[in-house]
Amino acid sequence: MTQPLRYAINVTLDGCCSHEEGLPPDAESMAFWTDELRRSDTLLYGRVTYELMQGAWRRPESGEWPDWMDASEVAFSEVMDPMRKVVASATLDAVDWNAELISGDVVDAVRRLKERPGRGIALGGVRLPAALAAAGLIDEYTFVVHPVVAGRGPRLLEGIGESLKLELVERWEFGSGATVQRYRHPIA
């Protein structure tokens, strides 16, 4: 039995996945993302997402969270910071922050990762998820769709080559107007 690989990301109406687009985080969305983290015991990122998350959510050396964080962001950080992280990168020589580095054939490495015991693997980013979707490795897709048209930026699952037929298994709306849509592959 393999553990599930779950891809979750914020996306705009036009498919943009830039962290700078969309609605600003609020307590409701941060609580959602905190609960999403709790569903897994491993985080899987490419280099860009790993460095972005590390810069924002790693506990500072002082041990004190920055003043800019509200209670919902601290709660998110408290869950993310100690989690095991796996980073796929051909350019990094080493990682820290409870992380291990994988390189080479990423698809094969993720297959092996899924075979390890665990509650699940939370996948983030843009390029790595596209490669893993193309290889059929993602078990669940969760998109938080923001009522914004970005007009520019990296696109959701760009370049996967073939269409994905997914089944909607959950949908709900935040007070902000963003909608959560959770999909899985249909059972044959």
Side-chain angles (χ1 to χ4, degrees), residues 38-103:
R38 289 184 178 120
R39 297 177 66 213
S40 300
D41 48 20
T42 301
L43 299 172
L44 175 59
Y45 298 138
R47 179 194 57 82
V48 172
T49 303
Y50 167 74
E51 289 176 345
L52 177 75
M53 297 304 238
Q54 183 181 38
W57 306 112
R58 183 179 190 163
R59 183 181 295 276
E61 287 185 27
S62 70
E64 300 297 319
W65 295 111
D67 292 340
W68 62 262
M69 285 186 170
D70 67 21
S72 66
E73 292 163 326
V74 169
F76 178 83
S77 295
E78 292 282 350
V79 173
M80 177 179 270
D81 187 61
M83 286 182 76
R84 175 178 176 237
K85 295 151 193 86
V86 176
V87 183
S89 175
T91 58
L92 292 174
D93 294 323
V95 291
D96 60 358
W97 194 36
N98 311 315
E100 71 179 86
L101 185 62
I102 58 173
S103 58

Side-chain angles (χ1 to χ4, degrees), residues 99-178:
E100 71 179 86
L101 185 62
I102 58 173
S103 58
D105 184 342
V106 174
V107 169
D108 187 51
V110 172
R111 279 192 181 105
R112 287 192 311 273
L113 181 64
K114 287 181 67 166
E115 292 171 358
R116 295 181 188 175
R119 293 189 329 269
I121 304 161
L123 172 64
V126 179
R127 287 186 298 192
L128 176 61
L132 298 178
L137 291 178
I138 300 176
D139 301 293
E140 183 178 283
Y141 298 80
T142 301
F143 307 125
V144 177
V145 183
H146 294 253
V148 172
V149 175
R152 61 182 169 74
R155 302 287 175 192
L156 178 66
L157 299 173
E158 187 167 40
I160 64 167
E162 294 185 24
S163 66
L164 292 174
K165 306 279 190 256
L166 302 173
E167 177 182 357
L168 180 67
V169 294
E170 275 186 284
R171 183 186 184 286
W172 68 94
E173 188 173 314
F174 291 150
S176 66

